[in-house]
Amino acid sequence: MDLPVAPPFAIRARLLTPLDDGGTRHEHDGLVVVDEGGRIVFAGAAADRPEAAASAIDLRPWVLLPGMVDLHAHLPQLPNAGLGAGLDLLTWLERYIFPLERGFDEVAADRLAPAAWRAFARAGTTTAMVYAAVYEASTDATFRAAEAHGIRAIVGKVMMDRGTYDGTIDPTTILDRTLAETARLIARWHGAADGRLSYAVTPRFAVSCTADLLRESASLAASTGAYWQTHVSEDRGEIAEVARLFPEAIDYVDVYDRAGGLGERTVLAHAVHLSDRELGRLVESRTRVAHCPVSNLFLASGMMPLGRYLDAGLAVGLGSDIAGGPDVSIFGVMRVGFYVQHARRVAGVEDGRMLEPLDWLRIGSLGGAQALGLDATIGSLEAGKEADLIVVDPAFVAPIPGIEDDDPADLASRLIFRAHPDMVRGAWVRGRGLDGPGVRS
Ligand SMILES: [Zn+2]
């Protein structure tokens, strides 16, 4: 099957997408028309545009979906994906992760980052918010690879001024140095590729950062319009360590609040064990959370009460947390997220609403776009948005050949519970085909 590599084009296929108004659009015989600028000019029933449908590339019975949004991943950790199960967070970091990130120099990034972006696209992810390592040069290389690949990416150089894994950096200069490096990276990359690339100021987490670094980094993000990303309340041992390091703070969220880090440009990963006060403060400040249920079980961190958080009004998207999570697939994240909801119910601790398969598709695409403030641009297949989309072959998720799911909720359920690594056959950002999915690998 020859897929379009650049706009303009029109694809006729089954169509399944969340909508900005809260609904879902499902068309058995759908059509998406993309203009020369990579923007969707029509997404709906083929019967409503018979002329365009007649000349469109016909991919039926494949299914067009919005591209998935991964709100949290560590690109340099991808080579260790699937390793270290059974360790707690802080031990896992010391044993498996810090040595790997220490080796993520420019040469390593030039080798790894192009393959990593292809792996995201192959899984159906068209927007990824990632951490690099502590090095400026390899963060540049990571951005260069994203620029060339075509994925929509938000990247940040990790900042650590306490317990950093690179002993060659003079501790007395580390704060000024990491701020200067970050400022240069923002100047080079925030808004690059006509807005397809963005910068996230990235203090690793409170355990690795002084109050000065947290405050200065938040101030740098605010003054430049960059995002600010870090981790919060992932693991009990980590929470205890943060309480020891920041005795003046009320709780973990308050550490970031005091630094000026909360707000709608901030994405906090995990947030598994929030108190009611912390939850209320994140909602009030419009701070965004990346839910990473695969990672949370892989590292035995806990089970986030997603339903309760959503009922409280928290903005939540999904994250693979590579390599805390062993796989880049956001469909896999939805599956485990579903199981976490069930496990909470079995354990008698679930007190919020349960998400259905179509809710999970929404949170993995439009929910992630909303968390990034990009929902006017991406996240659903609707006229006026940029053409960030994927096409899936449902034959890969059928339990035996010939079974088809007419109902959209059934189709969503198959894609989540029977997600297959080859099911994504094409992925586009702004109508430009991405390398990675099977047809182009
Ligand atoms: Zn993480």
Side-chain angles (χ1 to χ4, degrees):
M1 192 80 73
D2 275 342
L3 298 182
V5 295
F9 60 80
I11 293 178
R12 187 171 183 174
R14 193 170 172 184
L15 176 65
L16 180 61
T17 178
L19 299 173
D20 283 337
D21 68 7
T24 294
R25 180 184 282 278
H26 171 243
E27 303 288 349
H28 276 286
D29 185 3
L31 179 72
V32 171
V33 181
V34 177
D35 71 11
E36 58 280 352
R39 206 168 278 275
I40 297 170
V41 291
F42 178 81
D48 291 344
R49 293 286 175 95
E51 253 177 53
S55 60
I57 299 162
D58 192 346
L59 297 181
R60 290 174 296 171
W62 291 5
V63 186
L64 284 171
L65 301 161
M68 298 299 129
V69 178
D70 189 340
L71 274 189
H72 184 68
H74 299 261
L75 187 141
Q77 299 177 13
L78 192 51
N80 271 7
L83 303 183
L87 299 177
D88 68 282
L89 171 67
L90 299 182
T91 309
W92 174 80
L93 283 172
E94 288 295 338
R95 199 172 298 171
Y96 277 91
I97 294 307
F98 288 167
L100 190 63
E101 290 194 15
R102 194 181 299 124
F104 192 70
D105 59 13
E106 187 173 10
V107 173
D110 277 334
R111 188 179 63 244
L112 176 63
W117 296 128
R118 288 194 296 273
F120 281 106
R122 175 174 158 74
T125 295
T126 53
T127 296
M129 184 175 202
V130 309
Y131 292 49
V134 298
Y135 307 113
E136 180 180 11
S138 60
T139 305
D140 271 321
T142 302
F143 268 114
R144 284 198 302 272
E147 185 176 40
H149 176 259
I151 196 168
R152 197 180 292 272
I154 301 145
V155 180
K157 182 194 91 81
V158 170
M159 308 171 85
M160 303 165 73
D161 65 342
R162 179 152 59 191
T164 185
Y165 47 73
D166 188 339
T168 66
I169 303 173
D170 176 1
T172 62
T173 63
I174 196 165
L175 175 60
D176 289 342
R177 175 172 162 173
T178 195
L179 287 167
E181 290 171 341
T182 298
R184 289 196 293 268
L185 286 162
I186 291 171
R188 284 198 285 277
W189 294 108
H190 188 56
D194 200 18
R196 178 165 59 78
L197 304 177
S198 301
Y199 197 84
V201 178
T202 307
R204 183 175 210 107
F205 67 152
V207 174
S208 313
C209 301
T210 62
D212 286 344
L213 173 54
L214 293 173
R215 189 185 61 250
E216 293 299 322
S217 67
S219 147
L220 180 59
S223 66
T224 55
Y227 294 97
W228 195 75
Q229 63 175 349
T230 188
H231 302 79
V232 75
S233 195
E234 176 175 1
D235 164 282
R236 298 283 185 194
E238 168 216 15
I239 294 168
E241 182 64 4
V242 171
R244 190 182 69 79
L245 292 169
F246 296 86
E248 71 285 2
I250 304 168
D251 47 39
Y252 201 156
V253 164
D254 193 46
V255 172
Y256 297 145
D257 206 352
R258 285 165 182 256
L262 304 186
E264 57 188 13
R265 300 286 285 172
T266 291
V267 177
L268 301 181
H270 304 304
V272 174
H273 305 284
L274 298 181
S275 67
D276 287 343
R277 195 209 77 83
E278 291 178 300
L279 175 59
R281 190 63 196 115
L282 292 186
V283 172
E284 183 180 50
S285 60
R286 300 175 56 79
T287 302
R288 317 306 167 93
V289 162
H291 178 32
C292 308
V294 182
S295 167
N296 297 156
L297 290 189
F298 189 77
L299 294 172
S301 303
M303 299 188 292
M304 191 184 104
L306 175 63
R308 183 161 71 85
Y309 289 1
L310 292 175
D311 287 344
L314 189 66
V316 181
L318 301 179
S320 66
D321 193 23
I322 287 291
D327 193 76
V328 289
S329 171
I330 291 298
F331 293 96
V333 172
M334 297 175 194
R335 178 172 62 247
V336 174
F338 213 112
Y339 290 148
V340 165
Q341 289 190 317
H342 282 182
R344 290 184 56 83
R345 180 174 277 186
V346 171
V349 296
E350 183 55 61
D351 53 1
R353 70 180 153 107
M354 302 283 288
L355 273 65
E356 302 296 331
L358 287 171
D359 300 325
W360 282 100
L361 265 193
R362 165 177 292 272
I363 199 172
S365 51
L366 193 52
Q370 287 165 338
L372 295 170
L374 292 176
D375 47 308
T377 310
I378 57 166
S380 60
L381 304 183
E382 297 185 78
K385 292 201 179 187
E386 296 184 7
D388 287 21
L389 50 104
I390 60 175
V391 67
V392 170
D393 180 356
F396 281 96
V397 302
I400 48 175
I403 290 191
E404 291 174 22
D405 299 295
D406 282 342
D407 180 74
D410 288 348
L411 173 62
S413 190
R414 299 268 199 211
L415 293 174
I416 292 168
F417 288 102
R418 296 181 51 78
H420 187 286
D422 293 330
M423 72 182 189
V424 176
R425 307 310 292 173
W428 296 263
V429 166
R430 291 179 171 162
R432 184 183 156 199
L434 302 182
D435 280 340
V439 286
R440 260 186 292 275
S441 64

